[in-house]
Every structure is written in structure tokens, then in C-alpha cells.
Amino acid sequence: MTTAFDSFTPDVRPPVLPETDISYAVEDTAVGRLLLAVRSDGRLVTSAYIATDVDEEVWLQRLSDGVSPRVLRQTKPLDTARRELAAYLEGRVTRFSVPVDLALASEFQRSVLTGLAVSVGYGSSTTYGALAAAIDRPRASRAVGTALGANPLCVFVPCHRVLPAGGSVAGRLRNVGGYAGGPAAKEYLLTLEAGHAGR
């Protein structure tokens, strides 16, 4: 007996994801849960700590408002950033090749984060006051701290390398100061870099 479905042969194809301006993924790492997002050209626009689903929604809204409303969760475009982040956190690499985009940073934040990236290398640290002086804003150490606290590109733009006066990287860390991922994450990153500097 034949049925109407006997000659039905559907055309099976892999799914095609819609085009998007921003691709994102959530990574569980040694220093906490991070939301990573890249533009369609591969520039990283976000590497943000997200402890809760609410934090994730806040960052997705920031991406939508500040970069593009076309945001899609898909990991493939983030493969390079994810690989480099894992290698960095394992101490196998000391710098990132993924280009960053400070689209979510204010003008002042851009000057702070650019000054930081240029003046403080892997395994080194500075203070809020010294960074303020380095960007020709010697009286703005608190504003520098605030700018670093809202860094949209944690780890990739190394705000963890900035300590309060009296903080230390050598030996036992004391008073590491604030950090979006919390003091334990900051200590982890500083200790990791101190142990692998000079490679």
C-alpha cells in the first residue's frame, strides 16, 4: 500500500545562521565567567565578567545599544579569541593577537586603556596614580580607577596590572585593589604573569 508520503524526499541542508554584526559566547575560565563578543571583522569588543544571567543581559544590552542591535550567540567567530584566552590563562602565551575595539569605552576610558596597554607590559604593574601621570592627568587617579573598573575588555586590555599605592606583585600579594572579576581573579592574573614573565 502506498501513501502520500512515499514520494516525499525533503531537501536536507545544514542550518544557515543569519548574518550578524556581533557574535558572542560565554566562557567559564580559571578567573571566572566571561562574555566575549566580536564584530563581524573579528575585532573583540567585549571581554566582560558576568557572574549572573542578569549581568549577561546587561552586557548584551550594552552591545546592542553601543555597537549594533544585531547580536547573535555563536561561538565559531570567537574561536581565535577563545583559544588565545585559554593559552594565556595556562601561561603558554604572554600577548594576544586578537585586535580589540574600544567602541564601548568613553573617550576618557580610551585614553586610560590605551595608555595602560602602551606603558605596562606583561608581568609588570603600575599604580592608579602612576597611570594617571602617564596619560598627563596626574590629579585623576580616582577617575583612572573608575575608568578601569568599567573596562569592557578585561584580561585582553590588562586593567588587572594596576594596583593601589602600596599594592604588590612580588611575593605575597597585598591590597590588590578593585577588579571587575574580584580580588581573587586579579591575584590569579598577577601571579600568573609574575611566574611567566621573561619567557
Side-chain angles (χ1 to χ4, degrees):
M1 180 171 155
T2 61
T3 69
F5 295 106
D6 289 342
S7 62
F8 179 65
T9 54
D11 187 15
V12 178
R13 297 180 187 178
V16 177
L17 294 172
E19 288 187 21
T20 183
D21 295 330
I22 303 291
S23 298
Y24 82 95
V26 175
E27 285 290 297
D28 288 312
T29 73
V31 291
R33 204 164 166 240
L34 291 167
L35 184 145
L36 305 174
V38 292
R39 288 183 181 267
S40 56
D41 64 6
R43 288 179 294 151
L44 189 73
V45 289
T46 306
S47 173
Y49 286 96
I50 54 165
T52 67
D53 291 343
V54 172
D55 295 334
E56 182 176 340
E57 289 303 317
V58 167
W59 276 100
L60 292 176
Q61 190 62 55
R62 278 191 71 185
L63 285 165
S64 180
D65 294 344
V67 182
S68 169
R70 292 168 26 117
V71 179
L72 185 64
R73 185 172 189 154
Q74 54 183 357
T75 57
K76 184 127 184 77
L78 288 137
D79 282 353
T80 301
R82 292 167 62 221
R83 249 190 327 270
E84 287 190 5
L85 178 62
Y88 167 83
L89 292 173
E90 292 167 5
R92 293 184 287 120
V93 299
T94 59
R95 62 176 48 102
F96 298 104
S97 68
V98 175
V100 296
D101 183 333
L102 293 171
L104 293 178
S106 68
E107 186 177 332
F108 179 69
Q109 270 184 299
R110 286 187 193 113
S111 69
V112 170
L113 296 171
T114 301
L116 170 64
V118 170
S119 63
V120 186
Y122 186 92
S124 300
S125 65
T126 191
T127 64
Y128 298 106
L131 182 56
I135 63 167
D136 296 324
R137 300 288 296 272
R139 295 176 171 229
S141 60
R142 283 192 181 183
V144 164
T146 301
L148 293 172
N151 178 7
L153 288 158
C154 291
V155 185
F156 287 84
V157 177
C159 56
H160 59 270
R161 295 179 188 157
V162 185
L163 301 165
S168 171
V169 185
R172 185 161 169 77
L173 293 167
R174 300 179 318 274
N175 189 23
V176 294
Y179 186 59
K186 189 170 185 175
E187 286 189 30
Y188 181 97
L189 293 167
L190 291 167
T191 302
L192 171 77
E193 290 190 1
H196 292 88
R199 282 188 166 187

